[in-house]
Amino acid sequence: MLEAIVAQVTCSYLFSEKSEISRLLAAMLQCQGQGQPGFSTLAVSGHARRVVIMEQLWQEFFSDPSQWWDNRFIKKSPKHPDFKHRITHEGVWIKGRLNPPWVKAKLASMTLGQIQSVGGLRSRGNNVNKLCREGRLKDALHMVELMVQQKSTALINAYVVLLKQCGRRKALSEGKRVHALIVQSGLDSHMFLGNTLMEMYAKCGSVLDARKVFNTMPEHNVFSWTAIMSAYADHGQGEEAIDLFQQMQQTGIAPDKVAFVVVLKACTRIAALEQGKQLHTDIIKSGFESDLIVGNTLVNMYAKCGCIGHALRVFNKMSERDVVSWNAMIAGYAENGLGQDVLALYEQMKEEGVQPNNVTYVVLLKTCASIVALEQGKQLHSHIIKSGFESDMIVGNTLVDMYAKCGCIEQACQVFDKMSERNVVSWSVMIAGYAHNGLGKEALALYEQMKQEGVQPDNITYVVLLKACANVAALEQGKQLHSQIIKSGSESDVIVGSALVDMYAKCGCIELAHQVFNKVSEQNVVLYSAMIAGYAQQGRGKEALTLLEQMQREGMNPDEVTYVCVLSACSHSGLVNEGCHLFDSMCKDHGVTPTMRHYACMVDLLGRAGCLTDAKDLINKMPIQPDVVVWLTLLSAARNHGHVEIGRHAFDCIVKLEPENAAAYVLLSNIYAEAGRMNEVEKIRKEMKDVGVKNMPGYSWKLTNENNRTK
C-alpha cells in the first residue's frame, strides 16, 4: 500500500497539487504508524522520499517560522541551509531543487523582510557584528537593510558596527549606503551616529563628506568637534584643524585631553610653533599637563618644531614617563641632529629601568648611522639580541642600514642573511648599502637574486639601483632597469625620473637624460636639479642656465641644491660672470642663504678662471667658518695655476683643521716642485712623515730628483 502512496506523491509533486500531497503525506505517516515498512526501505524511495521530506519541512516552516533560524546572511557556503529548525536542525533552501513549486510561489508573494519578520530569527545586531568580523561587509549591509524594513530597535548598534567596519576597510561606497539608510531611518540627527559617520568618512579619505555631516548636525559635543578636527589633521590640513579648535572654544565647549592631543598633532604636522605654545598654555589651565599622553604629544610637538629646549623642559617636568615619552625625546634629539645627546639619553633611559622597544632601537640605530658611530651601533646590536628584537623586520632593516652606512658591509650582509623574514624594504636597504660603499656590481647582482626569490621591486628599489648604475657607469644595466621601470608604470614618478636623469647623465648620455626629463608628467625642483646637474657634469653651463630660467617661468623656486648644481655648471663651463651674478641673485633676490657647498662652488669657479685673489677674498668674507673642502678647492686651484703664496696660505688653514690631511701635503709639495723649490719639497715630505701622514690614492708626487730636473 505504501508503495502506491509514494507513487501518487511523486505524481502530485510533478503537477504541483499541494492539497493532494498533504493528504498523501498524512496517509504515509499513518502507514508508518501502523507498523508497515517505512518509505526509507522502498526501492523507489530515493527521490520521492526527499520530495516528501522537503514538502513536510516547508509546511512546518510556513506554519510557524519563529521556530526556524535564518542563516541566509551568515552561512559561509551554499551547501548550508537558508533556514534551520531550532530543535531538529533540519534545513531548507530557498532555491532548493527539490522544493515543491508552491513554495516558490509562496516565497514570491512575500518580501525578504516579511519572511524574516515572521521568524524572530536570531539577534540581528549579533549577526551584523559577526559578519563584520568575518569581513563580509556586503552581507552585513544587506542584513541591515532588512532590519530597516522591519523597523528594528537594534539599528543604532548595527549602524555603528557597520560604519566602523567601513572605515577600517576604507569602503567609501558602502559607507555612503549606510549613511543613506541612517537618513531613511530618521536617525540622521543622532549625535553619536553623526560622530561615527565623520570618523568613517575621515578614514575613507573623504574630509568633504565628513564636513557635510558636521555641518548638518543639529548640535555638537566635544567628540563631534574632535572627530572633524582629526579628519582635517590626518589629511594634512592642520590650519583648518586649528581653526576648528578655536571655533569650538568660542562656542563654550571645553576641550578634553583627546581634543588637545588631536590639535597638537595638527600643529606638529605644519610646524605651527606659536599655536602649539598657546595650546600648551591652555593645557596647563585645563589641568591636563600631567596627563601622560598629552605630555608625550607636547614633547613631540616641540621637538618636531625644532624647539628641543622646550621639549626637554616638558619631558623633565613629567611626573610619569613611559617608553613612548623616552622615544619622543630621543627622536627629537635625532631629528635635530644631536646624535651624541640621543645616545646619552638612551643611557639615562636604561639607568631609570625603562625597557626600550623596537621603535627606540630603530631611532637609535638611525642615529648611529647618521654620525657613523659604529661601536655604539655594535653595542645596540648586542642589546637588541638580548631583548629579542633581532627578529623584528623593521629593526633588522635598520641594522643593515646602520652597518652599511658605517662602512661595515660584511656585517650588514650577515644581518641581512640571518633575517627570518624579508620584504622589499629589506632588499632595497641592502642594495643601497652596496651602492653606498661603491659596490655597484654587487648591488646589481643582489637585485637579480631578489627577482629570483619573487620579490617585486618598488620605486625605492629602482632609485637605489639607478644610483648604483650611475656610480659604476653601468649604462647597459641602467637601460635594462629603465625598461623594467617602464613596464612597472613608474617612469612618470618624479623621484624615479630624477634618478633616471642622474644615471643617464653620469653615464654620459645627456640626450637620453633629457628625454626622460620631458616624459615626467609632474616636474618638480628635484627633477630640474637632477637635469641641471647632468648638464654641469657635461660642462654645458649655458643649457643649465636656460633650464634654470625655464624652471622659474614654471613658477618653481630653486632650492639650495639647485643653486649648487647651476654654480657647478658655470664653474665647469668657465661662465665666471654668470656664476657671480647668480650667486648674488641667490642671496639678494631669492632669499637663499649660502651654505658651505655654495661657497666651495664659487671658490672653484674663481679658481678655475685664475682669479685666485678674488677666491681668497671671498673665503675671508664668508659669514661661516670655512671647512677643509673650501680650502682644498683653493689649494687645488693654486696648484693648477702655480700660485705658491696662496697655495701655502690654503695649506696652513687646512692643517689647522685636519693635521693629517694627505691631499694638502701632496698638493703643496707639487706646487713647490713645479716652482723648482726642492728644499721646500723635502721639508713638506719630512713634515708629512713626522706627522704620520700617508700618501692617498689619486694624488701623485712630482719627480723632484736632480736628474729629472736636469732632463
Side-chain angles (χ1 to χ4, degrees), residues 435 440 444 462-475 477-478 481 498-508 537:
L444 295 171
Y462 287 131
V463 168
V464 296
L465 283 165
L466 289 167
K467 286 183 178 179
C469 291
N471 291 342
V472 296
L475 179 59
Q477 291 92 330
L481 273 173
S498 301
L500 276 167
V501 168
D502 180 65
M503 183 274 295
Y504 278 126
K506 286 181 178 174
C507 290
Q537 291 158 14

Side-chain angles (χ1 to χ4, degrees), residues 189-479:
S189 61
H190 193 282
M191 186 181 295
F192 185 68
L193 282 179
N195 296 344
T196 312
L197 269 169
M198 284 190 287
E199 291 175 1
M200 180 275 295
Y201 278 127
K203 289 179 180 178
C204 291
S206 183
V207 180
L208 182 61
D209 283 314
R211 186 58 183 262
K212 287 178 181 177
V213 173
F214 180 82
N215 291 341
T216 56
M217 291 174 67
E219 57 180 333
H220 306 109
N221 59 11
V222 67
F223 303 108
S224 313
W225 287 97
T226 303
I228 192 62
M229 285 189 294
S230 182
Y232 280 109
D234 291 341
H235 290 83
Q237 301 183 50
E239 297 90 347
E240 187 66 30
I242 295 169
D243 288 343
L244 284 165
F245 180 80
Q246 294 169 348
Q247 291 176 34
M248 179 183 75
Q249 289 178 308
Q250 291 169 3
T251 62
I253 295 177
D256 60 6
K257 62 181 181 181
V258 178
F260 277 121
V261 167
V262 168
V263 75
L264 278 172
K265 288 181 178 179
C267 292
T268 303
R269 289 189 176 97
I270 62 172
L273 179 60
E274 292 307 314
Q275 291 92 328
K277 287 181 177 179
Q278 181 58 52
L279 282 169
H280 191 178
T281 302
D282 295 340
I283 287 167
I284 294 171
K285 292 177 181 177
S286 303
F288 290 121
E289 191 181 25
S290 60
D291 181 84
L292 178 62
I293 298 175
V294 173
N296 292 344
T297 314
L298 273 169
V299 170
N300 186 56
M301 183 273 295
Y302 278 124
K304 292 277 178 67
C305 289
C307 290
I308 200 68
H310 285 73
L312 186 59
R313 280 194 287 274
V314 174
F315 179 79
N316 289 334
K317 284 182 180 179
M318 292 176 69
S319 56
E320 178 189 2
R321 294 189 295 227
D322 61 3
V323 67
V324 178
S325 317
W326 289 90
N327 288 348
M329 196 65 235
I330 288 172
Y333 277 134
E335 289 169 8
N336 286 275
L338 303 171
Q340 295 301 330
D341 294 305
V342 168
L343 299 176
L345 192 61
Y346 171 60
E347 294 300 322
Q348 183 184 341
M349 176 183 180
K350 289 192 296 181
E351 289 172 3
E352 295 196 15
V354 180
Q355 292 298 318
N357 60 13
N358 56 345
V359 177
T360 319
Y361 285 125
V362 166
V363 175
L364 290 167
L365 288 169
K366 286 183 177 179
T367 299
C368 291
S370 65
I371 64 174
V372 196
L374 178 60
E375 290 307 313
Q376 292 92 328
K378 287 182 176 179
Q379 292 173 15
L380 279 172
H381 192 178
S382 177
H383 297 163
I384 287 166
I385 294 171
K386 293 176 182 177
S387 304
F389 285 112
E390 192 179 26
S391 60
D392 183 285
M393 186 163 57
I394 299 175
V395 173
N397 293 343
T398 318
L399 269 170
V400 171
D401 183 63
M402 183 274 296
Y403 277 123
K405 287 181 178 173
C406 289
C408 296
I409 198 67
E410 289 184 7
Q411 287 92 331
C413 287
Q414 289 173 10
V415 174
F416 178 78
D417 291 337
K418 286 181 181 178
M419 291 177 68
S420 57
E421 182 184 1
R422 294 186 297 222
N423 60 5
V424 66
V425 177
S426 315
W427 290 90
S428 299
V429 168
M430 191 66 241
I431 291 169
Y434 278 129
H436 179 77
N437 286 274
L439 302 170
K441 292 181 179 178
E442 287 81 353
L444 295 171
L446 188 63
Y447 173 58
E448 293 301 321
Q449 182 184 340
M450 172 184 173
K451 289 192 295 182
Q452 289 172 6
E453 295 197 15
V455 181
Q456 292 298 318
D458 60 8
N459 287 356
I460 301 300
T461 317
Y462 287 131
V463 168
V464 296
L465 283 165
L466 289 167
K467 286 183 178 179
C469 291
N471 291 342
V472 296
L475 179 59
E476 288 308 311
Q477 291 92 330
K479 286 182 176 180

Side-chain angles (χ1 to χ4, degrees), residues 583-594:
F583 184 79
D584 291 338
S585 173
M586 175 187 84
C587 306
K588 296 176 183 177
D589 302 331
H590 299 284
V592 177
T593 302

Side-chain angles (χ1 to χ4, degrees), residues 401-642:
D401 183 63
M402 183 274 296
Y403 277 123
K405 287 181 178 173
C406 289
C408 296
I409 198 67
E410 289 184 7
Q411 287 92 331
C413 287
Q414 289 173 10
V415 174
F416 178 78
D417 291 337
K418 286 181 181 178
M419 291 177 68
S420 57
E421 182 184 1
R422 294 186 297 222
N423 60 5
V424 66
V425 177
S426 315
W427 290 90
S428 299
V429 168
M430 191 66 241
I431 291 169
Y434 278 129
H436 179 77
N437 286 274
L439 302 170
K441 292 181 179 178
E442 287 81 353
L444 295 171
L446 188 63
Y447 173 58
E448 293 301 321
Q449 182 184 340
M450 172 184 173
K451 289 192 295 182
Q452 289 172 6
E453 295 197 15
V455 181
Q456 292 298 318
D458 60 8
N459 287 356
I460 301 300
T461 317
Y462 287 131
V463 168
V464 296
L465 283 165
L466 289 167
K467 286 183 178 179
C469 291
N471 291 342
V472 296
L475 179 59
E476 288 308 311
Q477 291 92 330
K479 286 182 176 180
Q480 291 173 17
L481 273 173
H482 190 178
S483 176
Q484 294 167 24
I485 287 167
I486 293 172
K487 291 178 182 177
S488 69
S490 299
E491 189 183 25
S492 60
D493 180 86
V494 68
I495 298 175
V496 175
S498 301
L500 276 167
V501 168
D502 180 65
M503 183 274 295
Y504 278 126
K506 286 181 178 174
C507 290
C509 298
I510 195 68
E511 299 305 326
L512 287 175
H514 197 263
Q515 288 176 20
V516 173
F517 174 83
N518 289 332
K519 286 181 180 178
V520 177
S521 54
E522 295 184 12
Q523 298 176 336
N524 64 3
V525 175
V526 176
L527 182 67
Y528 269 94
S529 298
M531 192 65 238
I532 290 170
Y535 283 131
Q537 291 158 14
Q538 300 295 318
R540 298 168 66 169
K542 291 185 178 179
E543 287 92 334
L545 289 170
T546 301
L547 200 59
L548 176 68
E549 293 173 0
Q550 177 184 329
M551 175 184 177
Q552 292 172 321
R553 285 197 301 271
E554 295 289 335
M556 283 178 257
N557 294 318
D559 61 8
E560 295 177 2
V561 176
T562 313
Y563 281 111
V564 168
C565 296
V566 182
L567 289 172
S568 177
C570 292
S571 176
H572 285 80
S573 304
L575 302 174
V576 179
N577 292 334
E578 291 86 345
C580 291
H581 173 74
L582 185 69
F583 184 79
D584 291 338
S585 173
M586 175 187 84
C587 306
K588 296 176 183 177
D589 302 331
H590 299 284
V592 177
T593 302
T595 65
M596 200 71 71
R597 294 178 67 191
H598 296 113
Y599 281 108
C601 286
M602 285 301 298
V603 171
D604 185 55
L605 173 72
L606 296 169
R608 283 174 185 262
C611 306
L612 297 180
T613 303
D614 292 335
K616 180 184 173 184
D617 291 342
L618 177 66
I619 295 174
N620 292 334
K621 293 177 182 177
M622 284 175 61
I624 53 179
Q625 185 68 30
D627 65 2
V628 170
V629 174
V630 172
W631 287 115
L632 268 175
T633 304
L634 182 62
L635 178 57
S636 180
R639 151 80 172 77
N640 292 334
H641 293 280

